[in-house]
Amino acid sequence: SHPEWGIFRIWTFTGADGFLFPESINRDYDMTQYPLTSAAMKVLDNFDLARDNPTNNCQPKGMPLIMEQPLPMEILREGGNVVLRIEEYDLTRTIHVGEDGAPDGTPASLLGYSWGWWEGEAWAPESTLVARTTHIDFPWLNQRGIPLSPEADIEERFTMIEDGAFMDYHMVVSDPVNFTTPVNLSKKWIHVPGVEILPFECDEISAQ
């Protein structure tokens, strides 16, 4: 498909358009504003940012934290699937369009298994891509001590707005182990012509 067509282009994140996690922009954000279960509260109480930050030592982020990342992301169509090329950690996410769940025996992984569908005409620029992800093997929702369990189920919505200048992005995280109700998060991505995806070289000093 043409790279400028619909959501299939390179997207950049700017803090001006909001952060996915409120605590990323507000260091004093009260984590107990998340609908935490008592089990999650226990984990949060024992979390030490210096010791436990999941991105220390250039460790790649898993879902859903990787979608907070500040570097460009390219959305591509590969056959019947949607592929997200994420500059941070040189990661690739595949959304298996048209499937209705993870196949039996799917192993858990950092990014989980994603499948999706279109709301509106399939592949049309004005349609919303909806994705669901399960089988995530990443223990954290965020970088500030809120845990994520293997039971987590994430729904994402990608919608191009303002004639393609922006992409509206919404995420709903359901995790009965850690949340009493689903967590809703959102941000916008901006399309800046000329941006390229570059090889990622993590600097362990700045990653602390």
Side-chain angles (χ1 to χ4, degrees), residues 46-188:
N46 290 314
F47 183 81
D48 179 321
L49 188 62
R51 180 191 67 207
D52 301 324
N53 185 336
T55 61
N56 281 353
N57 306 315
C58 293
Q59 291 294 312
K61 300 171 185 172
M63 275 291 285
L65 183 56
I66 188 62
M67 297 306 288
E68 170 72 298
Q69 60 97 24
L71 301 173
M73 168 182 77
E74 185 174 16
I75 303 183
L76 303 163
R77 178 176 180 171
E78 281 192 7
N81 294 331
V82 174
V83 171
L84 277 53
R85 271 184 70 218
I86 298 169
E87 180 172 313
E88 191 172 55
Y89 301 104
D90 303 308
L91 294 177
T92 299
R93 278 186 67 199
T94 299
I95 299 169
H96 301 85
V97 176
E99 296 184 11
D100 57 4
D104 287 346
T106 296
S109 63
L110 206 58
L111 300 176
Y113 189 91
S114 302
W115 69 96
W117 61 93
W118 292 94
E119 282 187 359
E121 186 188 340
W123 305 99
E126 64 278 4
S127 297
T128 293
L129 174 68
V130 186
R132 274 185 64 196
T133 303
T134 56
H135 295 72
I136 300 167
D137 179 20
F138 186 66
W140 303 105
L141 174 83
N142 64 0
Q143 287 181 248
R144 301 278 296 279
I146 294 186
L148 193 76
S149 86
E151 289 182 45
D153 184 322
I154 297 171
E155 183 173 296
E156 298 165 279
R157 301 173 65 84
F158 304 80
T159 309
M160 200 174 69
I161 55 173
E162 296 180 40
D163 294 326
F166 289 90
M167 181 172 67
D168 212 21
Y169 177 73
H170 282 263
M171 172 189 287
V172 180
V173 183
S174 302
D175 180 356
V177 175
N178 294 304
F179 305 127
T180 54
T181 57
V183 172
N184 286 274
L185 304 166
S186 63
K187 75 175 188 182
K188 287 190 178 77

